Amino acid sequence: MQNYNEVLKYTEQVLDIIEKAEVTKEEAAWIAKETVDGFRENVNPGFLEYRKSVTKDTQFASVEWKDSGRNCFVDVHGKEYIDCLGGFGIYNVGHSHPKVVKAVTDQMAKQPLHSQDLLDPLRAMLAKTLGMLTPGDLKYCFFGNSGTEAVEAALKMAKIYHSEEGRSTFIATTRAFHGKSLGALSGTAKGVFRKPFMPLVNGFRHVAFGDIEMMRKTMAACHMVGEDVAAVLLEPIQGEGGVIIPPDDYLKQVRELCDEYGALLILDEVQTGMGRTGKMFCAEHYGVVPDIIALAKAFGGGVMPASATVASEKVFKHLFDNPFLHTTTFGGNPLACAAALATINVLIEENLPQRAAEMGDYLIAGLRDAMKGHEDKVLEIRGKGLLIGIEFVNDEIGYEVAKGFFDNGILTAGTLINAKTVRIEPPLTIEKEQCDKVCETFAKVLKEMNKEAVVQG
Ligand SMILES: *Cc1c(COP(=O)(O)O)cnc(C)c1O
């Protein structure tokens, strides 16, 4: 018999905490303990090892508590961090942007979720907005809750578009990341993520990212053996793969190749979209219009989970006859749509794509300055807009730097197992002074590593 009284008491206690903006020292200690215990006993103890490894003196990771301004957050003990990880790219408009929060809370007070039967207005208005915002003839929208779902929908759209002809081959690229559901994972490239779950969806080939000749040969070979390619699935700049920027003419050549063979081009802009790289969509840097674009992460303004798969009418019309061929209960809910509408408004009103371009140039220049004399440790600093990667000589050095950043109140994306390239992906609202602090800290951490090496040697 479960003890409902115990459940009742515990949830009351947690609801009390949720209600509070500030906590006492005792409450903070309780929260930290419950969090670590909960992860160990009921979430996944693996996370504790993984986060522990990043923090000072291998103590357990900080327990986060609330946002602090647009570009920072504070942990439960009151320590502030500049957020250079940006939730892997969800905070483009900054943390808790008041306009996004207001849209969501206003909608929340009226009707948080939709009836599922009547026509919900915000879905229509967001779709219209995206039709205006996305390049070329992209027009019809399917809404989901995550990047994975956006990619999954794109793959299904490509399949149904080609269903008469029976094409079901997809070309993806090495080092790609498209999510971890069985369909999206088939496009994802990392062996460790894929291998335990084989066999995945049939028909996926992977070619080297940026290598147009390999893609051309694969496309031709697929055609010759009667397995014509339904679609090419591509990130315009690879995010998780370590901020890999392809040759300038690559995307355009892929577009031409797709047209030559009647394949669709799916651009996964889950991470590069919504202003991150210095344009609203990264494809605009290269003057390319995809047949399908996948958006998520920053699409919900860092307030709501939200994703969109936007396609041209030529592609999407195959779902007109039966719109129930692909649906999800929560996708396109009023709270998510309110958040996305406010996010798009803010991106334009505050000119954030351009700000990303400018601050990105500033930050990259500063980081390059800071690495001078440390070429034995840092291989390269690259990026577009505020999607920046620092590539180290090896994982160990990258990990030491990520740890140094963390100890100095700057959160970056670098972990014990994956730190050869540390990603810097702050909110597009990051201030110049905060960029300066990041660069100063980078220089300081690199210098201290020299000293330690001397002492150890
Ligand atoms: C993060 C990411 C995804 C997966 O998004 P989720 O919201 O985590 O499901 C897909 N594609 C790209 C390019 C991403 O960066």
Side-chain angles (χ1 to χ4, degrees), residues 143-156:
F143 296 114
N145 308 284
S146 68
T148 302
E149 285 173 75
V151 170
E152 203 74 31
L155 297 175
K156 286 181 75 177

Side-chain angles (χ1 to χ4, degrees), residues 220-264:
C222 287
H223 174 63
M224 281 193 278
V225 301
E227 294 179 18
D228 283 281
V229 173
V232 170
L233 170 63
L234 208 60
E235 297 157 87
I237 292 175
Q238 292 184 324
E240 306 284 319
V243 190
I244 319 278
I245 304 171
D248 278 343
D249 48 359
Y250 180 63
L251 230 55
K252 217 169 192 137
Q253 290 171 323
V254 173
R255 175 74 271 182
E256 284 162 12
L257 199 57
C258 286
D259 291 342
E260 191 183 329
Y261 283 90
L264 298 178

Side-chain angles (χ1 to χ4, degrees), residues 87-90 145-151 176-181 184 188 233-241 267-272 294-297 305-307 423 425:
F88 295 110
I90 64 179
N145 308 284
S146 68
T148 302
E149 285 173 75
V151 170
F177 187 82
H178 299 293
K180 291 175 184 162
S181 66
T188 291
L233 170 63
L234 208 60
E235 297 157 87
I237 292 175
Q238 292 184 324
E240 306 284 319
L267 285 186
D268 179 349
E269 292 231 29
V270 166
Q271 194 161 159
T272 54
L295 305 172
K297 293 217 165 93
S307 73
R423 263 179 295 161
E425 254 187 288

